[in-house]
């Protein structure tokens, strides 16, 4: 079994309205130190061993569903774990 | 300036409907290897130096806005960076 941590963020060139909104909220709560926020996704995925290399599976599920290739970047960390 | 990476996930005891939906989609796309998915948030926050310790600021903004203490856990990594 593999535990895969996937990170998905908007590309630098893409406006992040959610990040802007959170920043403005924090600034209005007197956290002037907060200069910029980029909000993305963090996923923990349990993937069973199969005949396919886990990297291949992870790349495919990110390209096809978990990340929008036009607007988002993704990266991941793979850790082998004991069966639950 | 500090670059802070914040991770927010649902507590283990909390149902993750989004994770369930993504898992079912992947299984229907023939990725039977995918056993479980937990979806959370990943934020990159730029915080200027101030008279307050950055850890104190980060804990407060997480407790007050970025994470729901009833249902979510958070953790973070702090990195000092050059002024942009």
């Amino acid at each position: 079994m593999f535990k895969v941590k996937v990170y998905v963020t908007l590309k630098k060139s893409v406006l992040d309205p959610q990040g802007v909104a959170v920043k403005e909220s924090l600034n209005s709560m007197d956290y002037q130190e907060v200069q910029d926020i980029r909000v993305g996704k963090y996923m923990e995925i349990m993937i069973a061993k199969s005949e396919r290399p886990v990297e291949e599976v992870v790349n495919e599920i990110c390209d096809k569903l978990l990340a929008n290739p036009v607007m988002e970047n993704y990266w991941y960390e793979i850790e082998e774990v004991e069966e639950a």
Side-chain angles (χ1 to χ4, degrees), chain A:
Chain A
M1 182 76 79
F2 298 98
K3 179 174 185 176
V4 183
K5 296 177 180 178
V6 176
Y7 307 85
V8 179
T9 59
L10 286 169
K11 292 182 176 178
K12 287 273 178 259
S13 56
V14 177
L15 177 68
D16 177 5
Q18 193 177 0
V20 169
V22 173
K23 175 186 176 297
E24 284 169 3
S25 300
L26 288 172
N27 289 162
S28 69
M29 294 161 66
D30 262 342
Y31 292 105
Q32 306 305 336
E33 304 96 326
V34 174
Q35 307 286 305
D36 184 54
I37 298 187
R38 303 285 291 178
V39 179
K41 289 173 277 193
Y42 167 70
M43 289 167 270
E44 291 178 355
I45 307 174
M46 302 303 290
I47 297 182
K49 276 189 184 178
S50 71
E51 64 291 344
R52 300 181 62 194
V54 64
E55 290 81 3
E56 196 180 291
V57 174
V58 177
N59 282 324
E60 276 188 29
I61 64 178
C62 287
D63 291 336
K64 287 184 183 174
L65 187 70
L66 303 183
N68 173 339
V70 173
M71 298 173 51
E72 294 175 325
N73 295 315
Y74 69 83
W75 68 98
Y76 52 81
E77 297 155 10
I78 296 174
E79 181 193 344
E80 188 155 1
V81 295
E82 293 297 316
E83 297 282 336

